[in-house]
Amino acid sequence: MKKIFFFLTFFYLGTLLSAGQDFKLFLIGDTGEDTVLQSTMQSFLDTISKYPNSAVVFLGDNCYKSWIVGERKGFDSSEITIKRLGVQLNGLNQSKYNGNVYFIPGNHEWWNVTCFRKGKRNVLREEAFIEKHLGASHSIKNNYNTFLPDSGNPVAAVELNDGRLKLIIIDTEWLIVCKNKIERLNVYAQIDSILKDAIGRHLKIVVAAHHPIFTLGKHSKKHWNQFPKFYKNQDIYHPIYMEVRMRLDSLLTHKNYPIVYSSGHDHVLEYFKKDSVEYIVSGSGSKTTSFSGKDDFNPNPEKDMLLPVIKKVNEGFFELNFVAGKTEIFLFYFDNGFKKVRVN
């Protein structure tokens, strides 16, 4: 009887300790510019290597390739793109990071094409390269599957922190490029179903995607130096992108449940808050974008754009800390050395 009592006591204490242990999720995007390890990626690797009870999400545009005409395309197995992805993959392997790693696609993984079939083929090429090079890792927990969604699919979901955190990964470029309305609606229904299941089980929820729902960065501007002024489909006010933003935001806000939506795409660091949803833009993993006063903004931004709690044109990344039932959000940014500040 005493043995049973002691066993139950230790089991109960272990459960309490486990529930109180913090879990961290690190978010960094647009890391595909550098061919050698730079300070931002080094700081990122140094930080995550301290926390084995964690996961990392690379929020798309994991590799850029400069062309003579100025167009920037993603991974194509050329020497320059192997170097750029290699900085991240080799850094993860050499740091012996012990958590989970997820790379997700951005528009550059699709090579900015409008052909769905060709774009998906490009995504699959990068997926194969990443999973081959991280598959040999003996430290990464999910070395068997480090690129999501799998096989060019639009949605994936995993559970972390002993099943207490639902990470929902959306390929938003898939939604922008796909011309089939029925298929797009099916994707939103799938996302809605995943959200409802997670909410019904009282899980923490983080959505990871490449494209922001809200941003005051470059992709909220018209292209002022061209006539007529216009929005590209990578800009938040383009009709196709607008549909993606509004549908996703409606799915999230109508749940009236704490959710974090994380993204990259714009090369800035931003944090917004609306009702129960927190929005992160972490798109400056390898470069930043400054803005000109000549840039045109939406004529009525106050009607459909949140004002950011924080906005920085610095390289950096975000950390979400889940502890004692709370979600703490921290920003790491470079300003004469890396600084850390809580934003929520």
Side-chain angles (χ1 to χ4, degrees):
M1 191 68 181
K2 287 184 178 180
K3 290 182 179 180
I4 295 175
F5 172 77
F6 283 121
F7 172 79
L8 291 175
T9 301
F10 281 119
F11 177 79
Y12 177 71
L13 290 174
T15 302
L16 287 178
L17 289 172
S18 175
Q21 184 181 14
D22 63 334
F23 178 87
K24 297 181 184 295
L25 181 65
F26 295 95
L27 303 163
I28 189 168
D30 301 68
T31 50
E33 178 76 3
D34 300 325
T35 57
V36 295
L37 191 63
Q38 301 289 350
S39 58
T40 300
M41 183 55 63
Q42 185 63 68
S43 177
F44 181 74
L45 294 170
D46 290 344
T47 301
I48 66 175
S49 63
K50 299 173 185 175
Y51 302 103
N53 192 37
S54 67
V56 169
V57 182
F58 289 80
L59 293 162
D61 285 3
N62 311 306
C63 186
Y64 300 101
K65 179 184 178 182
S66 299
W67 286 61
I68 295 175
V69 295
E71 186 179 4
R72 307 179 70 85
K73 297 187 177 183
F75 182 77
D76 64 356
S77 301
S78 62
E79 182 179 354
I80 186 69
T81 57
I82 287 174
K83 281 185 177 179
R84 285 178 166 155
L85 260 182
V87 169
Q88 303 156 69
L89 304 180
N90 294 335
L92 285 166
N93 283 327
Q94 291 167 9
S95 70
K96 300 190 183 303
Y97 173 60
N98 293 127
N100 291 72
V101 175
Y102 302 99
F103 283 82
I104 77 173
N107 55 293
H108 283 280
E109 274 60 54
W110 286 75
W111 288 18
N112 291 328
V113 298
T114 56
C115 174
F116 186 87
R117 179 180 56 82
K118 290 181 180 179
K120 184 174 179 178
R121 182 184 63 196
N122 298 331
V123 173
L124 295 177
R125 180 187 289 112
E126 183 176 309
E127 177 182 7
F129 183 85
I130 288 174
E131 297 204 328
K132 175 184 176 181
H133 284 77
L134 293 184
S137 170
H138 297 296
S139 57
I140 294 173
K141 291 178 181 176
N142 63 319
N143 62 345
Y144 55 90
N145 192 16
T146 49
F147 189 100
L148 291 176
D150 288 313
S151 306
N153 289 311
V155 184
V158 295
E159 291 186 6
L160 301 167
N161 194 20
D162 296 325
R164 291 189 286 271
L165 169 64
K166 176 73 78 172
L167 175 64
I168 304 170
I169 296 170
I170 305 171
D171 184 349
T172 42
E173 184 68 4
W174 191 104
L175 290 167
I176 289 173
V177 175
C178 179
K179 299 295 191 295
N180 188 312
K181 183 177 180 180
I182 299 300
E183 289 184 9
R184 295 199 307 272
L185 290 176
N186 288 338
V187 171
Y188 293 121
Q190 183 181 356
I191 296 168
D192 189 47
S193 177
I194 296 171
L195 286 168
K196 287 178 178 177
D197 174 73
I199 292 169
R201 295 160 57 202
H202 307 290
L203 305 184
K204 296 290 185 182
I205 300 175
V206 175
V207 178
H210 179 66
H211 293 82
I213 291 176
F214 298 105
T215 177
L216 298 178
K218 177 181 178 181
H219 289 290
S220 67
K221 314 292 183 179
K222 286 183 180 178
H223 298 269
W224 64 272
N225 58 339
Q226 302 183 42
F227 184 83
K229 297 175 182 179
F230 70 101
Y231 292 114
K232 294 181 179 179
N233 68 357
Q234 295 302 312
D235 302 324
I236 64 174
Y237 292 113
H238 186 279
I240 296 174
Y241 189 163
M242 211 35 191
E243 175 191 303
V244 175
R245 289 177 58 216
M246 295 300 98
R247 286 192 177 277
L248 289 178
D249 197 46
S250 177
L251 283 175
L252 300 178
T253 55
H254 286 174
K255 297 295 184 290
N256 194 29
Y257 187 87
I259 299 172
V260 177
Y261 180 92
S262 59
S263 61
H265 196 47
D266 260 336
H267 304 146
V268 293
L269 301 163
E270 298 174 294
Y271 169 82
F272 303 84
K273 179 79 161 60
K274 184 177 77 172
D275 301 327
S276 60
V277 183
E278 296 173 283
Y279 308 81
I280 288 170
V281 180
S282 183
S284 55
S286 63
K287 58 181 177 177
T288 61
T289 302
S290 58
F291 310 116
S292 166
K294 297 179 181 179
D295 288 341
D296 284 339
F297 192 64
N298 180 276
N300 297 301
E302 67 278 2
K303 290 187 177 181
D304 59 358
M305 181 56 63
L306 300 176
L307 292 177
V309 176
I310 188 167
K311 173 176 179 285
K312 289 188 178 293
V313 184
N314 302 76
E315 287 193 13
F317 53 94
F318 279 84
E319 170 199 313
L320 275 58
N321 186 38
F322 301 91
V323 60
K326 298 184 298 182
T327 303
E328 302 170 337
I329 301 179
F330 295 93
L331 168 64
F332 291 77
Y333 66 98
F334 187 82
D335 185 10
N336 294 321
F338 268 91
K339 298 180 180 179
K340 177 180 180 180
V341 60
R342 184 170 175 181
V343 300
N344 70 339

